[in-house]
Amino acid sequence: MSARKHSRQGAFPPAPDPLPVAVPDSHTHIDITLEGDSADGPSTVEEAIGLAAAAGIDRLVQVGVDVESSRWGVEVAERHPAVVATVALHPNDAPRQADLDAALREIERLAAHPRVRGIGETGLDYFRTGEDGRKAQHESFRAHIAIAKRHGKTLVIHDRDAHDDVLAVLDEEGTPDQVVMHCFSGDEEFARECLDRGFLLSFAGTVTFGNAAHLRRAAAITPLDGLLVETDAPFLTPMPFRGRPNASYLIPLTVRALAEVTGHDLDALCAALSANGDRAFGGWA
């Protein structure tokens, strides 16, 4: 279904205790999650939604990474009220396009759909794409920014090893009203740069990793109205299950870690995550 492949090993982790206040998963790839061969995980969209709801995750943002997955996400969002979609070419997908302009035209067509609430994940990735692919990445990124502004949709940013250039492009092009930094990966200084621009910072299971003290410091200085939480499922499974498949029902592990890091009461944090998700993605109605 998607250009990204499910590479997680082992069984899906057991369900954690549910959250006291329901929150959204602001970034998941249900299609890639269902590609796994683990018998104990969700095998249908309905199962993925049901498992999440039982854990207190009542809304999901299905994120597109190429034309095929973007179309699939729109179809799922049409059928399931708990799901809204975003559409985009992933930064690493842009250089692989035989006809980038045609692919971007299809993303723009999909962007007009009422169940599409965001444009992304788009941005820059200097980890997996070398110098030869960066021109296409930049062209695609700028095109996605323009699409988001034309359609009044939230821009969902993928930023890997490209902090300065991501901000430079956004400053040059001008940003939509809402910008989400997906799987925030920067330090406290970069967090301040993003927050000063009014961006929302979405934290994934990486905030629980032992080598991620910089993420915990960034989360600690992020105000309640600047926080989102996500899985990026089936990737980035929170501790103590790092390396196993991820799914939206595991969000409580990350939320409880964020509550500890930020010092916020769990109920208050959940309420803020819920309100921020509705603000970013226009509600799920």
Side-chain angles (χ1 to χ4, degrees):
M1 295 176 185
S2 165
R4 295 175 73 189
K5 298 301 181 184
H6 187 338
S7 60
R8 304 300 88 184
Q9 300 296 317
F12 278 83
D17 290 338
L19 293 171
V21 177
V23 308
D25 181 350
S26 73
H27 192 116
T28 187
H29 303 282
I30 304 171
D31 51 341
I32 311 176
T33 303
L34 299 182
E35 290 174 358
D37 57 5
S38 181
D40 59 345
S43 59
T44 65
V45 173
E46 290 76 12
E47 286 183 5
I49 294 171
L51 285 169
I57 316 305
D58 63 345
R59 288 152 288 163
L60 310 178
V61 181
Q62 164 63 24
V63 174
V65 296
D66 53 25
V67 168
E68 184 180 5
S69 65
S70 294
R71 288 173 178 155
W72 186 88
V74 172
E75 293 169 1
V76 168
E78 285 180 327
R79 297 197 309 269
H80 298 283
V83 178
V84 294
T86 74
V87 298
L89 307 178
H90 190 281
N92 293 324
D93 187 65
R96 295 194 289 261
Q97 294 296 317
D99 189 338
L100 180 57
D101 288 341
L104 289 168
R105 286 195 297 272
E106 178 62 6
I107 295 300
E108 174 129 34
R109 186 189 71 81
L110 293 168
H113 195 286
R115 296 296 290 171
V116 171
R117 304 297 174 78
I119 306 302
E121 57 188 282
T122 182
L124 301 175
D125 188 319
Y126 292 170
F127 180 78
R128 295 198 182 278
T129 297
E131 291 283 352
D132 58 339
R134 290 183 185 177
K135 180 180 178 182
Q137 278 199 356
H138 278 254
E139 179 182 344
S140 178
F141 186 21
R142 292 176 190 274
H144 281 80
I145 295 170
I147 291 170
K149 290 194 288 187
R150 281 195 292 271
H151 292 272
K153 304 293 171 84
T154 292
L155 187 69
V156 179
I157 301 293
H158 173 105
D159 162 32
R160 190 165 187 186
D161 294 352
H163 300 334
D164 292 344
D165 283 1
V166 164
L167 291 183
V169 171
L170 289 168
D171 289 347
E172 289 169 12
E173 296 294 326
T175 57
D177 290 339
Q178 294 285 350
V179 175
V180 173
M181 298 300 291
H182 142 63
C183 189
F184 184 80
S185 60
D187 58 12
E188 181 178 349
E189 180 181 355
F190 185 60
R192 292 189 191 280
E193 291 270 8
C194 293
L195 292 167
D196 286 347
R197 290 167 169 81
F199 301 168
L200 288 160
L201 309 187
S202 184
F203 288 89
T206 45
V207 77
T208 72
F209 294 178
N211 62 350
H214 65 292
L215 294 182
R216 291 185 281 277
R217 289 192 294 269
I221 62 97
T222 303
L224 273 176
D225 63 1
L227 285 168
L228 287 172
V229 67
E230 64 174 86
T231 53
D232 197 24
F235 312 102
L236 306 182
T237 311
M239 295 295 289
F241 303 109
R242 184 178 183 180
R244 290 167 64 175
N246 200 5
S248 295
Y249 73 89
L250 294 169
I251 280 272
L253 296 172
T254 304
V255 173
R256 288 189 166 92
L258 279 174
E260 183 175 348
V261 165
T262 61
H264 293 305
D265 173 77
L266 182 61
D267 285 23
L269 175 60
C270 289
L273 293 169
S274 179
N276 296 342
D278 281 345
R279 173 160 54 94
F281 297 104
W284 270 252

